[in-house]
Amino acid sequence: MRIRSLLLPAVLGSLAFAGSSAAADVTTKPIYTFGTLRTNASDVARAKVKVWLESVSKYDAKAFDAIWADESRPVFDRTIDALLLGSTEAKAALDAARDQFAPAPTEIPGFLKDPATDGFLKANLATAYAKALGGKRVYEEALEALKTVTPELVVDPSQYFFYRAVAEHSLIMKDEALTSIARLIDDVADAPDRYKLVATLIYFDMQNWSSDRKDLGNIGRLMDNSGRRLDLARGGKQTQDIQKKIVFALDEKIKEMENQAKGKCNGGSCPNGGQPGQGGSNTPSSPQSDSYGGGNGGAGKVDEKKLRKFSEEWGKMPPAERAKAIQEISKDLPPKFKPMIEDYFKSLNKINGITP
């Protein structure tokens, strides 16, 4: 079963009511390709980069050939290094994004905002830029950069959709993250297993997100987002607005709990639109239509071969193979998702009676 069959009804419903801010996002109307996207072959990517370098008179054959000679490196990494030969501005921006000690940027580089920038250059460097910022938990600018480009122009589209989903999930943008996950799993034929596994776990995580703003899980996510922004020295209006939402939601929750304790929700009106007898709970009173996404979230079922393979073979795999599997899947992932991966494998160990 394609993951889109689970996600698309809810996503389309939300996009139908998208606000004016979507106008700046060149990827607002996704082109679903159903497994036809894949990483460019090395010679194809190399040729594209060479054409661009020659168009800006920055082609250095010796430096260019040296980058592409190392076939052990991913095509995407070699593409980025070769593109940087032709843009000092892009190199400076990417170096700063990769520097863990450099301050978080407050806006994306000018070349990513310039409509005159070559589309191939912009798409690939924006993806590399967002990937670097994701490692620093700078999700706002990471997402803004990705929104400026066409993902089909990225030599490794799996990286674009994965890091976009990471940013959207971290910024509590559920519907947008579901769209990115659907495109990663369904549209990119050669997406790495570690990306698909983490994306699937993100998907299941979001199914537990309540539509009730007073839900403690939702409040906790707002608190995490506020704390992240403060860690990045971003204590301005946006952070203050998040903190106001936290205070307001907590105040509503406290009032709701007080009313429940006093029995005011039995036969009387509950605060903030709650129905008598429900106490503000998120329990549905009738079955939900299959055509719409629900706030309660269901268990869902994803035909993810890697997950099934691990579940079936984990107990039979030698310790060295299990360690290798964990290492491969955790490689290059943003730090926030590593505990999620660890919990997944701990569960497999427990099920199979394996003592680490």
Side-chain angles (χ1 to χ4, degrees):
M1 179 185 295
R2 289 187 180 277
I3 196 170
R4 182 170 289 109
S5 65
L6 298 172
L7 309 184
L8 197 54
V11 171
L12 290 179
S14 65
L15 290 179
F17 297 96
S20 59
S21 61
D25 182 357
V26 299
T27 64
T28 295
K29 296 180 179 179
I31 304 171
Y32 294 115
T33 51
F34 298 98
T36 62
L37 290 179
R38 61 177 59 250
T39 303
N40 286 189
S42 178
D43 58 335
V44 173
R46 175 175 177 154
K48 291 178 180 178
V49 179
K50 183 179 179 182
V51 167
W52 178 77
L53 288 172
E54 290 176 337
S55 72
V56 294
S57 303
K58 295 287 187 178
Y59 177 64
D60 179 337
K62 183 177 181 180
F64 183 81
D65 290 343
I67 290 172
W68 289 97
D70 186 358
E71 296 184 357
S72 65
R73 299 182 64 218
V75 170
F76 181 77
D77 292 350
R78 286 181 283 166
T79 297
I80 297 303
D81 287 351
L83 287 172
L84 293 180
L85 294 175
S87 176
T88 55
E89 179 189 5
K91 186 177 187 307
L94 195 52
D95 285 346
R98 288 169 170 170
D99 185 352
Q100 293 298 313
F101 299 101
T106 55
E107 60 179 352
I108 62 174
F111 73 93
L112 291 179
K113 295 185 285 187
D114 186 353
T117 301
D118 178 80
F120 177 75
L121 172 76
K122 182 186 291 187
N124 287 281
L125 290 182
T127 302
Y129 186 72
K131 178 179 180 179
L133 291 185
K136 298 168 69 171
R137 302 193 303 157
V138 185
Y139 301 117
E140 292 86 354
E141 282 71 27
L143 184 56
E144 184 181 355
L146 293 173
K147 285 184 175 182
T148 66
V149 306
T150 302
E152 287 77 14
L153 296 178
V154 182
V155 298
D156 182 357
S158 69
Q159 297 209 31
Y160 174 93
F161 291 117
F162 177 75
Y163 286 100
R164 179 159 181 162
V166 167
E168 290 163 340
H169 173 263
S170 301
L171 295 174
I172 323 176
M173 300 169 66
K174 179 178 179 179
D175 292 332
E176 293 85 347
L178 291 176
T179 298
S180 297
I181 291 171
R183 295 217 62 192
L184 171 68
I185 294 179
D186 287 352
D187 291 354
V188 185
D190 61 347
D193 288 329
R194 66 182 185 278
Y195 283 1
K196 292 191 290 184
L197 174 59
V198 174
T200 302
L201 293 175
I202 292 175
Y203 163 75
F204 284 131
D205 173 59
M206 291 189 295
Q207 297 317 294
N208 294 319
W209 290 8
S210 171
S211 61
D212 182 3
R213 64 185 177 189
K214 304 185 298 296
D215 178 76
L216 293 178
N218 291 335
I219 295 173
R221 279 182 282 276
L222 288 173
M223 287 179 171
D224 289 343
N225 207 20
S226 173
R228 176 188 63 84
R229 290 183 60 84
L230 291 174
D231 288 343
L232 295 172
R234 295 183 172 185
K237 184 178 183 303
Q238 187 172 347
T239 301
Q240 292 170 3
D241 288 343
I242 294 173
Q243 292 171 335
K244 289 177 183 178
K245 290 180 181 179
I246 294 170
V247 173
F248 185 72
L250 284 172
D251 184 57
E252 284 187 309
K253 186 67 176 179
I254 291 171
K255 289 179 180 177
E256 179 185 85
M257 294 173 69
E258 289 176 344
N259 286 334
Q260 287 177 337
K262 295 176 182 177
K264 288 186 177 181
C265 284
N266 295 319
S269 62
C270 295
N272 306 306
Q275 298 300 314
Q278 290 183 342
S281 75
N282 199 36
T283 303
S285 58
S286 61
Q288 177 178 285
S289 168
D290 291 336
S291 300
Y292 300 94
N296 288 326
K301 185 176 182 181
V302 179
D303 183 17
E304 177 52 61
K305 294 181 180 179
K306 202 67 176 181
L307 283 172
R308 186 170 64 248
K309 181 180 178 181
F310 280 144
S311 298
E312 293 175 351
E313 301 180 5
W314 192 252
K316 302 175 185 177
M317 293 170 62
E321 287 188 20
R322 292 198 297 267
K324 182 180 179 182
I326 296 173
Q327 184 177 14
E328 288 179 354
I329 290 174
S330 302
K331 183 177 63 177
D332 297 332
L333 296 179
K336 67 170 291 181
F337 292 107
K338 290 185 178 180
M340 186 184 294
I341 292 294
E342 291 173 357
D343 288 342
Y344 172 72
F345 286 113
K346 285 179 181 177
S347 297
L348 289 184
N349 285 340
K350 186 175 181 180
I351 291 172
N352 290 278
I354 298 171
T355 303

